[in-house]
Amino acid sequence: MRRTHPNPGELDHVDCWVFDLDNTLYCSRRYDLFPAMGEKMRLFIEQEMGVSVEDAQAMRERFSQDYGTTLRGLMVEYKVRPEDFLDFVHDLDLDQIKPEPALDAALGALPGRKVVFTNATVKYAIEIMNRLGVTDHFDAIFDVAAADFIPKPQMPAYDHFLRATGVSPDRAIFFEDMAKNLVPAAEIGMTTVWVENERPNALPTPTCDHIHYIAEDLTPWLEAAAAAR
């Protein structure tokens, strides 16, 4: 695990650049949608289940821990329609997301395909990408619906992703803010980059061996990767 930019030649094998969306493709230090999204999740549970604020928060945390995402827990235990949950949770004020010309240029300098692999929805991803000004660089968005609503880091999500996109894992590099989501990626042969952040549930374990690089900031890392090709 290296908090460095790639050296010349290290990424010559890469022909597909795979990105998570939230807190990865956009920088969580500049735009943090997760607090508002978390509130929407809690409110959905509170209204749908008829429980208190405290009980709704406890349920959300348990679902995330036990199932990987709040949505998966609601589907398994309460048969909630995923579309209802996702539409509600992703109805956010996105005005804070602004164009990122440096990111746009960095993506444009990378040779090969670019793909988004997200636990969110295609609609939400396109809204974010349009606001960042980077949509045209990507030829596929693989969302949680395409994964049959099985979220990262569960391995079936990665199996679905590979089949749907035709990505060869040994020729792909995967950028993620959630360190645990990089475990299956490394197991199937992807090069992995953890996009550094301080959220407790996103941190790597002290002994992790599934992260190949750490990117303190995505755009400079991509610029260095393009220069090293």
Side-chain angles (χ1 to χ4, degrees):
M1 183 165 59
R2 298 162 42 191
R3 188 179 278 101
T4 63
H5 295 152
N7 293 320
E10 285 185 346
L11 300 182
D12 285 355
H13 66 288
V14 172
D15 64 13
C16 187
W17 308 76
V18 183
F19 297 85
D20 176 50
L21 181 72
D22 285 308
N23 293 333
T24 297
L25 199 56
Y26 64 82
C27 178
S28 61
R29 290 188 293 273
R30 291 192 290 276
Y31 319 115
D32 193 358
L33 299 176
F34 268 30
M37 196 178 297
E39 283 297 301
K40 294 294 291 273
M41 292 182 191
R42 179 196 56 74
L43 184 58
F44 181 92
I45 295 172
E46 185 182 341
Q47 294 176 349
E48 189 77 11
M49 305 296 133
V51 298
S52 68
V53 172
E54 294 76 16
D55 287 347
Q57 182 62 22
M59 290 173 69
R60 186 174 82 85
E61 292 173 0
R62 180 174 67 82
F63 289 153
S64 182
Q65 178 67 31
D66 293 350
Y67 297 98
T69 63
T70 301
L71 171 59
R72 192 66 184 172
L74 286 168
M75 291 176 62
V76 170
E77 295 194 11
Y78 293 95
K79 310 304 180 187
V80 167
R81 274 177 30 93
E83 296 84 1
D84 295 340
F85 175 84
L86 292 168
D87 287 346
F88 185 86
V89 167
H90 289 140
D91 184 17
L92 300 171
D93 180 1
L94 301 180
D95 286 347
Q96 63 178 290
I97 307 293
K98 305 298 183 184
E100 294 280 352
L103 175 61
D104 176 48
L107 289 168
L110 297 173
R113 299 176 65 197
K114 288 90 180 179
V115 177
V116 166
F117 181 12
T118 176
N119 280 346
T121 66
V122 167
K123 178 183 176 183
Y124 171 76
I126 290 174
E127 290 178 353
I128 294 289
M129 294 160 66
N130 283 344
R131 287 176 177 271
L132 292 171
V134 300
T135 309
D136 290 346
H137 296 294
F138 293 86
D139 67 12
I141 300 171
F142 185 88
D143 72 347
V144 69
D148 198 23
F149 299 104
I150 300 171
K152 298 174 292 183
Q154 296 183 36
M155 185 58 82
Y158 299 76
D159 294 336
H160 283 303
F161 170 78
L162 295 179
R163 286 196 298 270
T165 61
V167 169
S168 298
D170 60 339
R171 298 185 61 80
I173 186 167
F174 185 33
F175 299 82
E176 252 280 359
D177 68 301
M178 300 287 290
K180 64 183 180 181
N181 292 348
L182 293 172
V183 176
E187 289 178 354
I188 62 177
M190 287 182 168
T191 302
T192 60
V193 184
W194 180 53
V195 180
E196 192 172 31
N197 65 95
E198 298 179 355
R199 297 200 324 281
N201 66 337
L203 301 175
T205 63
T207 58
C208 74
D209 60 0
H210 59 276
I211 294 174
H212 301 124
Y213 299 94
I214 296 177
E216 296 181 12
D217 189 289
L218 179 64
T219 298
W221 203 97
L222 296 180
E223 292 170 343
R229 293 290 295 235

